[in-house]
Amino acid sequence: MTAALLLGAAGLPLLALLLMRGRLVAVTVRGYSMSPTLMPGDRVLMLRGRRRLASGRMAVVVAPHPEHGWRPPAGDTPVSWYVKHVVAVAGEPVPDWAHRCAGPRVPPRMLVLLGERPGSSDSKQWGYCPEDKVIGTVLVRLRAAGRADAPAAPDATGTGP
């Protein structure tokens, strides 16, 4: 489903259905790890699930645990979400900069993620991200207050942390 379909008249019933079922969620960006593409206060429209997960897309993932990364202790409850670029999926080559990702190719059910800022918390620090940590994929950036360069998009209900 593309942004054009979502915005077109033919896509409005589908958009309404996905919003009502909670499959589409507007997520507010907090922090600078994805700047300049995404800035604090920007909102992205996320499709829940992993169906559209691919290299080159952005994904919303459970934030890694500060001590244990994407393998938190049993019973630990995630407190926030991250938006990151998906750089490689299972079977694709591991990028040279991903020193914490062992092997020449990404293993099954794993991802290599990257933020845009050098200090971003991503696969550079935590290695592979398990696919089960993906909450959804970003479909489109919604207009943020005070940002003239953001594309216009339909208003959506729901928020993410």
Side-chain angles (χ1 to χ4, degrees):
M1 179 181 338
T2 65
L5 175 64
L6 287 175
L7 298 175
L12 288 177
L14 179 59
L15 178 63
L17 178 65
L18 291 171
L19 283 170
M20 288 184 336
R21 292 187 176 213
R23 298 272 300 151
L24 284 178
V25 179
V27 177
T28 302
V29 174
R30 303 193 196 296
Y32 290 91
S33 74
M34 289 294 290
S35 67
T37 301
L38 299 174
M39 299 296 286
D42 282 357
R43 290 171 64 84
V44 296
L45 190 60
M46 174 190 75
L47 178 65
R48 284 189 180 271
R50 297 178 287 226
R51 296 180 80 186
R52 297 185 54 85
L53 201 54
S55 295
R57 299 209 57 132
M58 283 189 279
V60 179
V61 298
V62 172
H65 186 277
E67 295 175 25
H68 304 284
W70 279 297
R71 300 274 185 218
D76 189 68
T77 305
V79 295
S80 62
W81 298 350
Y82 282 176
V83 179
K84 300 292 176 195
H85 289 288
V86 178
V87 177
V89 297
E92 294 180 348
V94 174
D96 292 337
W97 52 260
H99 302 292
R100 294 196 182 259
C101 298
R105 299 213 170 261
V106 179
R109 295 176 301 284
M110 294 291 176
L111 305 168
V112 177
L113 303 177
L114 182 65
E116 292 185 7
R117 299 289 292 254
S120 174
S121 186
D122 51 34
S123 291
K124 292 186 304 283
Q125 290 77 29
W126 302 110
Y128 294 116
C129 175
E131 279 187 2
D132 65 0
K133 300 301 180 193
V134 173
I135 298 162
T137 54
V138 174
L139 297 178
V140 66
R141 182 179 73 182
L142 304 173
R143 183 174 303 278
R147 294 262 327 253
D149 63 329
D155 189 20
T157 59
T159 58

